[in-house]
Amino acid sequence: MSDRTAATQPRRRLARLPVVLTLLTRAGPEINLTRTIMNQPGVLAAFVLLCGLFGVGTWLAARAFGWHRLFAMLSAAGLALAIAVTLVRPGGHLPDPGANPVAMCLRDHFSLHGGLQVLNILMLTPFTFFGVLATRRPVVLMVVAAMLSAGIELTQAWTGLGVCQKQDFLNNTFGGDRAER
């Protein structure tokens, strides 16, 4: 990568800040929901624990692979937050014994109408954004973000720790894709 390309890349990322601010403005009422979720002791405890676990692993991986450590740690914190908020909070339901829980994920479509959909777009954004800055591998991070989103949704379906929705997967993946560009 030339010096000129490297110098313009941060400016290009900062130019997208108004887009993120617009998305946050649309999510106004759900931001309060996010605060409520984060105020639950289990979510906060899981976030701190996952930050510690992911942080140690990320620090070692960054050292071994030559990644930028600060950005790698911020990416790990973003992933810890996404997992804590989606898999530790109360809500959801256990599937009926005879039901196929994966089939429950296939009921809706991609949508940007509503604050919860916007929050789903933003969910993996810190992980992907900082991960790309750390590793300089946007395509790999996009694939990893999609796999993480699918894993979270399938975990929700199998365990009842939330509500599994195809729309959440699509919005999370879209958000991860936007963050890596």
Side-chain angles (χ1 to χ4, degrees):
M1 179 182 310
S2 73
D3 290 335
R4 185 175 180 179
T5 305
T8 59
Q9 190 169 11
R11 274 189 249 149
R12 203 172 334 146
R13 290 201 186 279
L14 290 177
R16 295 199 178 142
L17 186 59
V19 173
V20 172
L21 292 176
T22 301
L23 287 173
L24 285 173
T25 302
R26 287 188 58 201
E30 280 72 17
I31 296 296
N32 289 331
L33 174 64
T34 304
R35 287 185 187 129
T36 302
I37 290 170
M38 285 306 295
N39 283 333
Q40 296 174 10
V43 173
L44 187 56
F47 173 63
V48 171
L49 177 66
L50 290 172
C51 276
L53 290 173
F54 293 167
V56 169
T58 300
W59 184 264
L60 296 173
R63 185 173 163 196
F65 294 115
W67 299 339
H68 190 282
R69 287 186 184 159
L70 174 63
F71 292 140
M73 297 294 284
L74 290 171
S75 177
L79 179 59
L81 179 62
I83 290 174
V85 166
T86 56
L87 296 181
V88 180
R89 65 183 167 82
H93 57 283
L94 290 173
D96 295 328
N100 178 1
V102 177
M104 295 184 329
C105 294
L106 306 176
R107 293 193 178 166
D108 49 10
H109 304 284
F110 179 78
S111 172
L112 295 175
H113 301 289
L116 289 175
Q117 288 79 11
V118 173
L119 287 176
N120 275 315
I121 288 173
L122 297 175
M123 187 176 88
L124 290 177
T125 299
F127 165 72
T128 309
F129 177 78
F130 290 117
V132 169
L133 291 177
T135 65
R136 302 282 186 215
R137 301 200 188 296
V139 174
V140 171
L141 262 293
M142 177 56 216
V143 170
V144 169
M147 289 172 46
L148 283 169
S149 179
I152 288 170
E153 293 303 318
L154 291 174
T155 300
Q156 287 178 333
W158 287 324
T159 64
L161 296 171
V163 178
C164 176
Q165 294 180 313
K166 180 180 173 185
Q167 179 184 32
D168 290 353
F169 166 75
L170 295 173
N171 287 5
N172 295 339
T173 304
F174 177 76
D177 178 58
R178 295 291 88 201
E180 62 89 11
R181 290 180 186 266

